[in-house]
């Protein structure tokens, strides 16, 4: 008698949960929803690629049979492709512009990060304006005396081409112009940090996640770099990353974005050195 | 027998709840320690200060703040990409309509009072304009500074995009709803860009939130009244407006908690004060 009632209970609960799950849109192996395709196409920002790759790898584990393909091309081409229906999700490393944000478009912030401008810990410099940062990186300011320091040349440290941090600085500060000719090139953020730590006249740029006590980050326009000032976007060299969905690209697109913004997705974002936004 | 039958349904329900929550992993709904604000460039500096202070006090919480203008703030609340829309005016009829169509009901929280201030280049000798003169300048009826006591020079009219809450406020309070902005006006999406244009152009006139005044532009009094804390609080300054946060009426608890913090006289309202706006408790409604 007891067994019979327990079985009835389980049957009733299974029915209730299946009904609830079907309406809530979660996917479980028992009730696999029909995929519109078995491919999800994501394209856009180059600097978002590492995040998308890591999220996609994990997402595919929970959606066997679904192929997530991700490409670069740039934020704007990615958005255009999404609006034309050529891809499912656009990855963007900037906010939508007002004329891009229409009633069919939804931009979901999934990460923020920032680039620090760093000097030797004994360098008394506390603050630079964005214009001064640009002038130093482009070689127009080459002496510490010009920005209130002592009369000695600035040792500019640059990251190698292909570096994500370098791409971010180029997007945010350089306005299409080149770095000053007089600089040393480092292969990684870690190496750049080491160089700045060992050279009292050095100035370099590092991803927020690579900051360590061996270097000092200067304030930009009076704002120090921190997780908080990046989340509030008050720090000027902050990058915001969005997944943008246009119209109805299908359930996979929505699920991927939801995953990116979920606790698990945001842990991946954090492990990659960005600031989680959920 | 009877007792066991009574237990049947609650037992089923418990198992059902367990199954539902267990299979909601992975990719479950975003955790509720985050609040996303979007919208008005005029409210932005205040919201950033309040967000950072809140996160310092609650290290496990995440608050993101993004600009884009009042209209985009409301759109983000409607399409679900933000929890709070920062709106420096009332929402437009268009936004209300879209919300109604989607079955969304807004809750509005006034978090500060500030003002719209007409501004000119520091080298412009004009220090006061009447409401009538401002209206005529923006419609193009008055096109030369000498007509309002200034130099013989054409007026460069600076305005904001239609999605800006500040433009909405200026249109309501100064231009008049039927009035049309002079077609040669320089229109900017971002308040800071409009501000820079006035700072760099000797014949320019613009309008800006009180809290965004800086030393590079000159505030002009309106009908002889300067915009400052005293004139705002007394209701004497004619271009006062509210700064508001909008949520849907289904906003979760953590969003409401942040808004409560924003409204707290000891917490969020201190940052309103520091920014140069008027905290909500300190505003005296002008007599009609």
């Amino acid at each position: 008698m007891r067994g019979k009632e327990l079985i009835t209970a389980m049957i009733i609960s299974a029915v209730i949960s299946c009904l609830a799950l079907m309406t809530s849109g979660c996917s479980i192996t028992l009730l696999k929803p029909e995929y519109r395709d078995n491919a999800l196409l994501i394209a856009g920002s180059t600097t978002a690629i590492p995040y998308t790759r890591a999220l996609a790898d994990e997402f595919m584990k929970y959606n066997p049979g679904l192929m997530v393909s991700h490409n670069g091309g740039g934020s704007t081409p990615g958005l255009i492709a999404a609006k034309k229906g050529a891809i499912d999700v656009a990855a963007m490393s900037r906010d939508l512009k007002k004329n891009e944000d229409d009633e069919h478009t939804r931009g979901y912030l999934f990460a923020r990060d920032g680039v620090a401008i760093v000097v030797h810990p004994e360098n008394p410099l506390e603050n630079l304006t964005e214009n001064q940062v640009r002038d130093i990186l482009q070689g127009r300011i080459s002496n510490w005396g010009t920005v209130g320091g002592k009369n000695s040349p600035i040792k500019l440290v640059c990251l190698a081409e292909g570096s994500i941090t370098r791409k971010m600085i180029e997007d945010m500060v350089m306005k299409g112009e080149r770095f000053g000719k007089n600089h040393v090139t480092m292969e990684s953020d870690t190496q750049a940090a080491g160089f700045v730590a060992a050279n009292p006249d050095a100035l370099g740029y590092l991803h927020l996640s690579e900051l360590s006590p061996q270097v000092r980050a200067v304030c930009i326009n009076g704002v120090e770099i921190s997780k908080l000032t990046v989340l509030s976007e008050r720090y000027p060299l902050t990058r915001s990353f969005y997944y943008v969905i246009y119209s109805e690209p299908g359930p996979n697109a929505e699920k991927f974005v939801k995953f990116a913004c979920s606790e698990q997705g945001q842990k991946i974002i954090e492990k990659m050195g960005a600031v989680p936004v959920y | 027998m009877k007792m066991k039958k009574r237990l049947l349904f609650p037992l089923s329900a418990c198992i059902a709840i367990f199954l539902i929550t267990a299979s909601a992993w992975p990719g479950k709904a975003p955790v509720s320690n985050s609040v996303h604000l979007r919208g008005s460039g005029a409210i932005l500096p205040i919201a950033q200060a309040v967000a950072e202070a809140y996160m310092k006090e609650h290290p496990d919480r995440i608050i993101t703040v993004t600009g884009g203008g009042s209209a985009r703030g409301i759109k983000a609340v409607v399409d679900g990409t933000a929890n709070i829309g920062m709106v420096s005016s009332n929402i437009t009829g268009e936004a209300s309509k879209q919300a109604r169509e989607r079955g969304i009901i807004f809750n509005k929280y006034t978090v500060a009072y500030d003002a719209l201030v007409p501004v000119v280049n520091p080298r412009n000798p004009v220090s006061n304009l009447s409401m009538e003169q401002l209206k005529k300048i923006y419609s193009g009826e008055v096109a030369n500074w000498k007509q309002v006591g200034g130099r013989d020079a054409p007026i460069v009219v600076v305005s904001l995009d239609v999605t800006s809450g500040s433009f909405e406020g200026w249109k309501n309070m100064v231009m008049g709803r039927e009035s049309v902005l002079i077609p040669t006006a320089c229109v900017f999406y971002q308040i800071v860009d409009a501000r820079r244009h006035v700072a760099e152009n000797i014949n320019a006139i613009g309008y800006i939130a009180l809290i965004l005044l800086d030393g590079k532009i000159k505030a002009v009094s309106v009908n002889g009244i300067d915009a400052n804390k005293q004139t705002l609080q007394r209701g004497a300054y004619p271009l006062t407006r509210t700064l508001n946060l909008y949520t849907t009426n289904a906003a979760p608890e953590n969003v409401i908690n942040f808004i409560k913090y924003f409204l707290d006289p000891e917490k969020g309202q201190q940052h309103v004060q520091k920014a140069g706006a008027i905290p909500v408790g300190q505003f005296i409604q002008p007599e009609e």
Side-chain angles (χ1 to χ4, degrees):
Chain A
M1 274 310 174
R2 255 190 104 174
K4 214 168 161 191
E5 275 159 3
L6 189 58
I7 290 168
T8 318
M10 293 192 69
I11 292 171
I12 294 174
S13 53
V15 169
I16 295 172
S17 41
C18 284
L19 285 171
L21 286 165
M22 275 161 65
T23 49
S24 76
C26 291
S27 82
I28 53 170
T29 331
L30 277 177
L31 293 174
K32 204 166 194 160
E34 295 232 21
Y35 296 119
R36 200 164 76 170
D37 303 312
N38 58 1
L40 180 66
L41 300 173
I42 306 171
S45 153
T46 324
T47 46
I49 287 179
Y51 302 131
T52 306
R53 180 184 301 124
L55 289 166
D57 284 349
E58 196 64 19
F59 184 68
M60 282 191 279
K61 286 188 195 149
Y62 295 104
N63 292 274
L66 176 67
M67 184 61 198
V68 181
S69 137
H70 47 89
N71 286 305
S75 294
T76 309
L79 179 67
I80 293 170
K83 291 201 175 193
K84 287 183 185 247
I87 63 171
D88 299 295
V89 179
M92 296 181 70
S93 55
R94 61 164 176 84
D95 192 11
L96 292 162
K97 297 196 181 112
K98 171 234 163 181
N99 56 345
E100 295 170 336
D101 191 9
D102 59 31
E103 67 264 27
H104 304 295
T105 307
R106 278 168 289 142
Y108 294 88
L109 181 71
F110 71 88
R112 279 201 160 142
D113 66 17
V115 177
I117 303 296
V118 295
V119 297
H120 190 273
E122 279 163 25
N123 188 326
L125 182 76
E126 292 196 345
N127 181 71
L128 287 169
T129 66
E130 259 183 280
N131 286 336
Q132 285 173 324
V133 171
R134 183 176 306 115
D135 286 342
I136 292 172
L137 293 179
Q138 295 177 351
R140 282 186 298 278
I141 294 179
S142 55
N143 192 297
W144 283 112
T146 315
V147 290
K150 61 185 199 308
N151 180 14
S152 63
I154 299 175
K155 260 207 179 103
L156 179 60
V157 182
C158 215
L159 292 172
E161 286 224 35
S163 151
I164 296 278
T165 311
R166 174 180 165 137
K167 179 83 173 58
M168 281 172 52
I169 266 282
E170 284 169 348
D171 290 343
M172 285 190 283
V173 173
M174 300 299 279
K175 292 192 177 169
E177 290 184 38
R178 315 170 77 128
F179 289 97
K181 275 191 290 245
N182 251 352
H183 65 258
V184 296
T185 305
M186 294 286 136
E187 291 301 312
S188 71
D189 289 62
T190 316
Q191 281 184 18
F195 186 93
V196 173
N199 283 277
D201 285 335
L203 179 142
Y205 51 88
L206 296 179
H207 193 266
L208 169 61
S209 60
E210 295 279 347
L211 269 184
S212 66
Q214 62 175 333
V215 295
R216 195 156 64 71
V218 299
C219 294
I220 308 295
N221 291 359
V223 184
E224 79 282 11
I225 186 171
S226 75
K227 186 177 155 193
L228 300 193
T229 59
V230 164
L231 283 171
S232 74
E233 229 184 11
R234 196 163 59 94
Y235 179 69
L237 305 183
T238 298
R239 217 64 292 227
S240 295
F241 293 90
Y242 294 85
Y243 285 128
V244 180
I245 292 183
Y246 183 77
S247 191
E248 307 275 326
N252 293 332
E254 305 269 0
K255 278 202 301 183
F256 176 78
V257 174
K258 204 170 175 181
F259 174 73
C261 300
S262 72
E263 188 176 352
Q264 198 183 4
Q266 291 289 297
K267 278 209 174 75
I268 293 172
I269 294 295
E270 192 169 25
K271 236 193 332 200
M272 306 221 38
V275 181
V277 292
Y278 278 92
Chain B
M1 232 2 169
K2 220 179 172 184
M3 223 163 63
K4 281 181 184 167
K5 276 208 171 118
R6 278 228 300 262
L7 280 172
L8 182 63
F9 189 73
L11 177 63
S12 317
C14 286
I15 297 174
I17 289 165
F18 172 75
L19 283 175
I20 291 167
T21 48
S23 56
W25 178 269
K28 61 185 183 210
V31 291
S32 61
N33 65 348
S34 67
V35 181
H36 298 268
L37 291 92
R38 242 207 189 278
S40 159
I43 304 179
L44 189 68
I46 304 177
Q48 287 173 328
V50 177
E52 289 178 31
Y54 187 81
M55 286 189 281
K56 281 204 187 95
E57 283 188 38
H58 304 90
D60 61 327
R61 313 268 171 90
I62 289 172
I63 316 286
T64 70
V65 187
T66 310
S70 295
R72 290 195 62 203
I74 277 294
K75 185 210 181 253
V77 173
V78 168
D79 71 16
T81 57
N83 306 109
I84 297 177
M86 303 186 288
V87 181
S88 68
S89 59
N90 289 312
I91 59 176
T92 60
E94 180 61 36
S96 287
K97 177 164 156 267
Q98 276 184 21
R100 263 200 311 279
E101 280 166 7
R102 296 194 199 199
I104 290 171
I105 299 170
F106 290 120
N107 282 349
K108 170 186 171 183
Y109 303 88
T110 298
V111 293
Y113 294 87
D114 99 321
L116 282 174
V117 182
V119 290
V120 297
N121 188 277
R123 288 177 293 166
N124 189 327
V126 173
S127 314
N128 177 68
L129 289 164
S130 69
M131 289 279 279
E132 191 62 27
Q133 286 171 323
L134 284 168
K135 181 173 176 168
K136 287 185 172 166
I137 287 171
Y138 271 80
S139 69
E141 205 180 320
V142 165
N144 193 300
W145 280 111
K146 70 175 187 234
Q147 293 171 272
V148 290
R151 289 191 275 258
D152 182 3
I155 302 178
V156 174
V157 176
V158 175
S159 188
L160 295 171
D161 184 78
V162 295
T163 51
S164 156
S166 295
F167 168 76
E168 191 66 26
W170 189 256
K171 191 160 163 68
N172 285 333
M173 291 191 280
V174 172
M175 288 168 56
R177 294 231 55 97
E178 292 75 44
S179 174
V180 174
L181 179 68
I182 179 175
T184 54
C186 301
V187 176
F188 294 91
Y189 289 124
Q190 297 210 49
I191 302 178
V192 291
D193 294 331
R195 181 175 66 185
R196 195 182 311 121
H197 198 79
V198 175
E200 291 171 357
N201 198 312
I202 194 175
N203 293 319
I205 182 171
Y207 50 87
I208 198 166
L210 177 64
I211 68 162
L212 292 174
L213 280 176
D214 70 8
K216 301 191 181 121
I217 50 177
K218 176 176 133 177
V220 161
S221 57
V222 179
N223 290 355
I225 303 166
D226 278 317
N228 57 51
K229 285 211 157 138
Q230 289 72 38
T231 59
L232 258 72
Q233 274 175 288
R234 282 196 337 252
Y237 184 73
L239 304 180
T240 319
R241 59 170 182 177
T242 53
L243 300 180
N244 307 294
L245 301 182
Y246 279 79
T247 67
T248 69
N249 68 342
E253 196 183 328
N254 66 312
V255 172
I256 304 300
N257 285 341
F258 176 71
I259 294 179
K260 284 188 180 155
Y261 183 92
F262 212 125
L263 290 167
D264 187 330
E266 305 298 311
K267 307 274 184 187
Q269 295 291 297
Q270 292 293 317
H271 296 282
V272 168
Q273 185 120 290
K274 251 193 282 205
I278 312 295
V280 279
Q282 295 180 18
F283 183 75
I284 304 153
Q285 285 286 359
E287 286 163 25
E288 296 296 311

